[in-house]
Amino acid sequence: MILGLKIKNILFILFGAAIFAFGLVHFNMQNNLAEGGFTGITLLLYFLFGIDPSITNLALNIPLFFIGWKLLGRHTFLYTIIGTVSVSLFLWIFQRYTIHMPLKHDMTLAALFAGVFIGVGLGIIFRYGGTTGGVDIIARLLYKYKGISMGKTMFTFDAVVITLSLLLYLSYREAMYTLVAVFIAARVVDFMQEGGYAAKGATIISEKSEEIANRILTEMDRGVTVLKGRGSYTKRDRDVLYCVVAKNELPRLKNVIISVDPHAFVAVTDVHDVLGEGFTLDERKQPIEH
């Protein structure tokens, strides 16, 4: 622990910052693609005036550090400083030790790789408690307090900055490919935030609900919640089972249900975030290290 921060989180934030900066230098800057948010502003200043993005990234984020201190809490604030400073550091490094891979002859490939690298880098940083400053702080606050997707918030800000970039230096062709990259990055961020570990929730209605629940408990070691339901047509009260399992356990769950009651009604839904015993806590209620 360093100042109450987890070493694992710090290392992953540094790793995410390196991926993010690598993508920005090698796919955005080399192929004249813009970006959104504060990163887009740093690129705009780079392409118009040649100002080093590693410098402007820090300069633009200093005011937001104070907002972050008040609203994000001490730990997130410190992780944010680590994320922002490490992005600037890796931008400085990759600009001086660059792998030349111009893809202007294949802008589709450039946009795809730009989106994936930036999305994966940001996704890792977000997942381990950090941000890279700028719009990332705003997106994280909206996600934390309003439940608004980080990707959607970032895409809105991105559109504004990209429009400004189009008016000042981008060609229409480059602007369209930039939008592709930004959209991919937003989807990757959402996936890593919500779908990196997707579980499945099963709602089960059966005449043999008690037997099904016992089989799930004994054979799969998964908890089952018994809800009270009433059929709208039959007007009969019956037990409704709800069970959450890991994605790879779903076929086994279906087999257990069918073996007990082939006529059972089963509705399966995606569960994007699971907390508690069997997922984030072990049987002793201690955190599970992944």
Side-chain angles (χ1 to χ4, degrees):
M1 301 284 283
I2 299 176
L3 298 175
L5 305 181
K6 294 181 179 179
I7 300 295
K8 174 184 175 181
N9 288 30
I10 294 173
L11 292 176
F12 271 102
I13 288 171
L14 291 173
F15 180 56
I19 294 174
F20 175 84
F22 183 91
L24 199 66
V25 171
H26 292 89
F27 300 110
N28 290 75
M29 293 172 65
Q30 285 192 23
N31 297 285
N32 208 48
L33 292 176
E35 247 300 317
F38 275 37
T39 303
I41 295 174
T42 65
L43 290 181
L44 191 152
L45 295 174
Y46 169 76
F47 285 120
L48 288 179
F49 306 110
I51 302 175
D52 190 335
S54 65
I55 297 174
T56 52
N57 180 61
L58 283 178
L60 289 172
N61 279 295
I62 288 175
L64 283 175
F65 283 160
F66 295 100
I67 297 175
W69 173 256
K70 292 292 184 181
L71 297 177
L72 292 177
R74 179 174 175 271
H75 285 177
T76 303
F77 173 72
L78 292 175
Y79 284 136
T80 294
I81 291 180
I82 294 170
T84 304
V85 172
S86 59
V87 164
S88 285
L89 174 63
F90 284 115
L91 282 172
W92 184 88
I93 292 172
F94 289 132
Q95 285 181 92
R96 283 148 185 80
Y97 302 96
T98 305
I99 302 172
H100 293 285
M101 50 177 74
L103 294 171
K104 289 188 177 181
H105 63 285
D106 191 347
M107 290 296 287
T108 300
L109 199 60
L112 288 172
F113 272 90
V116 169
F117 269 78
I118 288 174
V120 170
L122 286 177
I124 292 173
I125 292 171
F126 287 153
R127 196 169 184 84
Y128 287 90
T131 76
T132 58
V135 177
D136 299 345
I137 292 179
I138 299 170
R140 186 175 181 83
L141 288 171
L142 289 176
Y143 178 76
K144 181 177 181 180
Y145 294 110
K146 299 294 184 180
I148 300 173
S149 160
M150 289 185 181
K152 290 178 181 177
T153 301
M154 291 168 61
F155 189 77
T156 301
F157 277 87
D158 291 346
V160 174
V161 176
I162 290 169
T163 300
L164 187 61
S165 300
L166 172 62
L167 295 174
L168 293 176
Y169 75 92
L170 283 183
S171 68
Y172 285 104
R173 180 172 178 268
E174 291 166 343
M176 287 188 287
Y177 279 115
T178 293
L179 285 174
V180 171
V182 168
F183 178 77
I184 292 171
R187 297 305 300 162
V188 171
V189 168
D190 280 348
F191 172 77
M192 296 194 69
Q193 280 295 109
E194 301 173 357
Y197 177 72
K200 295 290 184 178
T203 302
I204 308 158
I205 301 174
S206 169
E207 298 288 349
K208 302 178 179 179
S209 57
E210 185 174 353
E211 185 178 349
I212 291 174
N214 289 333
R215 289 277 299 274
I216 294 172
L217 285 168
T218 56
E219 295 182 20
M220 299 187 63
D221 196 26
R222 286 296 183 190
V224 180
T225 299
V226 181
L227 308 172
K228 295 300 181 182
R230 186 183 186 195
S232 176
Y233 178 74
T234 64
K235 307 300 181 183
R236 291 173 54 194
D237 293 332
R238 64 172 63 191
D239 291 339
V240 178
L241 306 180
Y242 182 72
C243 179
V244 177
V245 298
K247 195 173 182 179
N248 61 350
E249 292 179 313
L250 183 60
R252 187 179 173 192
L253 176 65
K254 290 180 179 179
N255 289 334
V256 168
I257 297 170
I258 292 171
S259 67
V260 176
D261 182 5
H263 304 292
F265 176 85
V266 183
V268 179
T269 57
D270 288 325
V271 179
H272 295 296
D273 207 358
V274 187
L275 305 176
E277 187 175 340
F279 292 93
T280 58
L281 301 176
D282 61 22
E283 64 275 7
R284 296 171 298 164
K285 308 298 183 183
Q286 297 299 312
I288 297 174
E289 293 292 338
H290 293 290

